[in-house]
Amino acid sequence: MKIPKLARLRIAMGAGILLVVVIVSGLGWAFFKQLTLGGEFREEAEQLEQALATQEAQQAYLTATLTYVHTDAYVEEWAREEAKMAKPGEVVVIPIVGKGGQAPASTPTAEPDAAPAASGDRPFWTVWWLALTGSGE
């Protein structure tokens, strides 16, 4: 059975058109994938830029802290606040606080004849003042 010449031409044209559609579809799909991949790369680049800015800010803070730690001012601050040291002629005072932030019931004083004050009816600063000065109000 022979296929007429016109039918063969139509089959060849159909196959050619189908081949072109398949190739264009493949190229379109690949182009779309590249676009989505490029968008993902842009998002990742923005995240990395933000992370870089954060790390640079932290590095600047740490560099400033390192510079400050090498100064005499930091050594003095540390000695006074952390190590509870004092310069010659100074006295370090550490308030004694009991449970619940209340001062102890009897505050030690320098005068043995002074009556101990109940801390429940006095503000905290008066108890501290008594501890510092050792005198009455």
Side-chain angles (χ1 to χ4, degrees):
M1 173 154 152
K2 268 197 145 185
I3 300 175
K5 195 173 196 177
L6 187 56
R8 281 191 284 166
L9 184 61
R10 281 188 178 174
I11 292 174
M13 286 290 267
I17 290 174
L18 182 63
L19 182 64
V20 168
V21 167
V22 168
I23 291 173
V24 168
S25 297
L27 289 174
W29 180 77
F31 182 71
F32 175 74
K33 289 304 246 179
Q34 289 298 318
L35 284 178
T36 56
L37 188 62
E40 291 173 5
F41 283 152
R42 276 191 295 277
E43 289 175 6
E44 187 175 348
E46 289 174 3
Q47 291 174 354
L48 290 174
E49 286 173 359
Q50 290 175 355
L52 178 64
T54 303
Q55 293 300 321
E56 286 175 345
Q58 184 177 7
Q59 181 185 10
Y61 170 75
L62 291 174
T63 302
T65 302
L66 181 64
T67 304
Y68 175 64
V69 166
H70 288 302
T71 63
D72 292 337
Y74 172 77
V75 173
E76 183 175 346
E77 178 186 342
W78 178 86
R80 288 177 177 269
E81 293 179 6
E82 300 293 326
K84 307 293 187 229
M85 296 180 175
K87 289 184 178 180
E90 293 180 345
V91 177
V92 175
V93 177
I94 302 174
I96 301 173
V97 179
K99 293 180 183 175
Q102 297 291 327
S106 63
T107 306
T109 59
E111 300 174 21
D113 57 340
S119 63
D121 59 349
R122 293 182 184 210
F124 72 93
W125 60 271
T126 57
V127 175
W128 285 7
W129 181 256
L130 288 173
L132 287 172
T133 60
S135 62
E137 299 176 70

